[in-house]
Amino acid sequence: MKVALVHYWLVTMRGGEKVLEAFCDLFPDADIFTLVADPDRLSPKIRRHKITTSFLQKIGGRKHYQKMLPLMPHALESLDLTDYDVVISSEAGPAKGVITRPDALHICYCHSPMRYIWDLYPQYMAESGLLARAMLFMAAPGLRQWDVTTSHRVDHFIANSDYVAKRIRKFYRREAEVIHPPVEVGRFKISDGPKDFYLCAGQITPYKKIELAVAACTQLNLPLVVIGDGASAKLKQSAGPTVSFLGSVSDAEMERCFSECRALIYPGVEDFGIVPLEVMASGRPVIAFARGGALETVVDGKTGFFFHEQTVDSLSAALTRFEADNSMFDPAAMRAHAMSFEPDRFRAELKKSIADCVDRQSRKTSLERQVWDKSA
């Protein structure tokens, strides 16, 4: 079989790209197709593969791909995949919309249907600038139609969480198998003991609701460290003296913060969420909003606490509860829980799923040939 891997864009190394690396492990000879790529920001494992980009790469897409949303369907459909027997698309931005041969098997590993045109559309509209709002307003209806239509080009959906599987069912009316993504838990260590600070970590975008953690810790006079790019001037101005913004940090510094924080504050709704498991692998608990992927990774009272309203008051109450009694959290038990999401488990489950799909496709093709031979 000749295998193609399709990823939405390759301009950084985040959770989606870590999953792509696992695909590369399973299919070392596969070719990679993507809308745009910045090879200097990719891992050696991904760069070893032949990478084909769309025409967006030639018109400045590497730096300005987010502004080219209306062109992405055309760019994806221009990619030539006729030589490939199996196509595995990695979807969070548009990726599944590629056109394959009628007899090719198309498996989509879905991190999320495009948030900004579906359930988080109002939030993105509220947080965007005037030009971005106008573009999204004009493009979103057509993109939704295209997104639903292209869901039927996929033979088998795999979702990265039960939460995403429900969104696939809601928006596409398709069922999805659930395989949680790989988490490199082995690189994280338990420290001698926590220091006196709470932590928020990850790219700061509107749906992550970092402002709730900033407001709650400012209100309670608790020390908070925020790691990640994207903090606006407005967010920084709202923070009290106990809140520090570190921006992007090295892997070593991030691992140190994970192992030394009192707890990770996780106020957004994530499709799955790898950072909480990395923090648990470091022996520290998570204070999370009780919705989305966190419900599949955080065990209330064992690896963290939940708060049930996405408000400053609800988060403040959870922090006050944690301050009063956090002795129930055992670092070794939290790490053991995180270890169940290690990469070997992901690769084994994914390999079995793909093998089952190939087997079903083969049997279907064989049956169709028998029917054709009899009719002839």
Side-chain angles (χ1 to χ4, degrees):
M1 295 186 304
K2 195 170 182 182
V3 178
L5 306 175
V6 182
H7 195 72
Y8 38 99
W9 44 74
L10 288 170
V11 295
T12 187
M13 288 298 300
R14 296 171 64 184
E17 289 69 41
K18 295 295 184 182
V19 172
L20 181 62
E21 285 188 319
F23 293 155
C24 291
D25 288 336
L26 286 175
F27 302 102
D29 298 322
D31 296 332
I32 296 175
F33 291 78
T34 187
L35 288 167
V36 294
D38 186 347
D40 294 338
R41 305 186 69 181
L42 301 178
S43 68
K45 183 178 291 188
I46 292 176
R47 287 202 306 268
R48 278 197 293 268
H49 291 251
K50 178 185 175 184
I51 299 176
T52 299
T53 57
S54 73
F55 66 79
L56 298 183
Q57 184 86 0
K58 299 177 181 178
I59 58 173
R62 187 168 69 175
K63 291 184 178 180
H64 305 292
Y65 64 96
Q66 291 174 317
K67 299 175 183 177
M68 298 180 179
L69 185 61
L71 296 176
M72 289 181 183
H74 304 286
L76 277 170
E77 292 177 350
S78 72
L79 296 172
D80 185 2
L81 297 169
T82 53
D83 288 340
Y84 298 91
D85 306 297
V86 178
V87 175
I88 302 173
S89 57
S90 173
E91 170 95 341
K96 70 181 186 310
V98 292
I99 298 174
T100 66
R101 289 197 327 249
D103 62 332
L105 174 65
H106 183 178
I107 299 170
C108 176
Y109 187 88
C110 188
H111 307 274
S112 170
M114 289 185 283
R115 307 178 189 93
Y116 35 86
I117 64 170
W118 292 109
D119 47 320
L120 295 188
Y121 173 73
Q123 190 169 317
Y124 274 87
M125 287 290 285
E127 297 288 339
S128 298
L130 182 61
L131 183 59
R133 279 204 308 274
M135 184 187 72
L136 189 57
F137 177 79
M138 295 295 292
L143 280 171
R144 291 189 194 105
Q145 291 179 352
W146 179 84
D147 197 35
V148 172
T149 299
T150 57
S151 70
H152 296 283
R153 298 177 186 176
V154 176
D155 296 297
H156 182 66
F157 273 102
I158 303 174
N160 73 348
S161 66
D162 289 323
Y163 179 65
V164 168
K166 290 175 183 176
R167 296 173 74 222
I168 291 170
R169 188 178 305 119
K170 177 70 174 179
F171 302 138
Y172 302 155
R173 303 302 180 185
R174 296 287 306 273
E175 294 300 317
E177 179 184 7
V178 176
I179 300 178
H180 292 132
V183 183
E184 295 178 357
V185 289
R187 57 185 274 230
F188 299 94
K189 307 296 180 186
I190 298 175
S191 68
D192 294 333
K195 301 291 194 296
D196 189 24
F197 67 91
Y198 290 91
L199 181 69
C200 280
Q203 184 76 16
I204 301 172
T205 57
Y207 73 91
K208 292 183 183 289
K209 294 292 184 183
I210 302 298
E211 68 272 13
L212 297 182
V214 170
C217 287
T218 296
Q219 178 179 292
L220 297 174
N221 201 36
L222 294 173
L224 173 68
V225 171
V226 181
I227 293 176
D229 292 329
S232 65
K234 180 181 178 181
L235 180 62
K236 291 180 179 179
Q237 289 168 2
S238 71
T242 62
V243 180
S244 302
F245 293 89
L246 300 187
S248 181
V249 300
S250 67
D251 288 348
E253 176 67 6
M254 182 181 66
E255 291 164 18
R256 183 192 67 79
C257 289
F258 282 8
S259 65
E260 294 184 352
C261 68
R262 298 197 68 190
L264 175 74
I265 301 176
Y266 204 64
V269 179
E270 291 281 3
D271 306 308
F272 176 71
I274 287 177
V275 169
L277 286 163
E278 292 176 337
V279 171
M280 292 177 220
S282 306
R284 303 310 309 149
V286 179
I287 300 171
F289 177 49
R291 192 177 165 199
L295 292 173
E296 299 170 50
T297 58
V298 179
V299 182
D300 197 23
K302 180 180 178 182
T303 68
F305 281 150
F306 285 123
F307 62 100
H308 296 273
E309 296 178 10
Q310 209 171 27
T311 62
V312 174
D313 287 345
S314 184
L315 174 55
S316 295
L319 287 167
T320 301
R321 178 186 171 200
F322 183 84
E323 288 282 312
D325 181 18
N326 54 62
S327 59
M328 67 185 73
F329 300 113
D330 174 35
M334 288 185 283
R335 180 172 176 80
H337 172 69
M339 291 296 289
S340 65
F341 293 85
E342 64 181 353
D344 285 348
R345 180 271 321 163
F346 173 79
R347 284 190 286 266
E349 292 181 7
L350 185 66
K351 185 177 181 179
K352 181 180 184 304
S353 176
I354 293 172
D356 289 345
C357 288
V358 170
D359 182 59
R360 285 196 299 271
Q361 182 90 341
S362 177
R363 284 188 278 112
K364 179 182 177 183
T365 302
S366 177
L367 181 60
E368 288 173 344
R369 285 173 179 167
Q370 290 178 33
V371 171
W372 174 258
D373 290 342
K374 288 180 180 179
S375 64

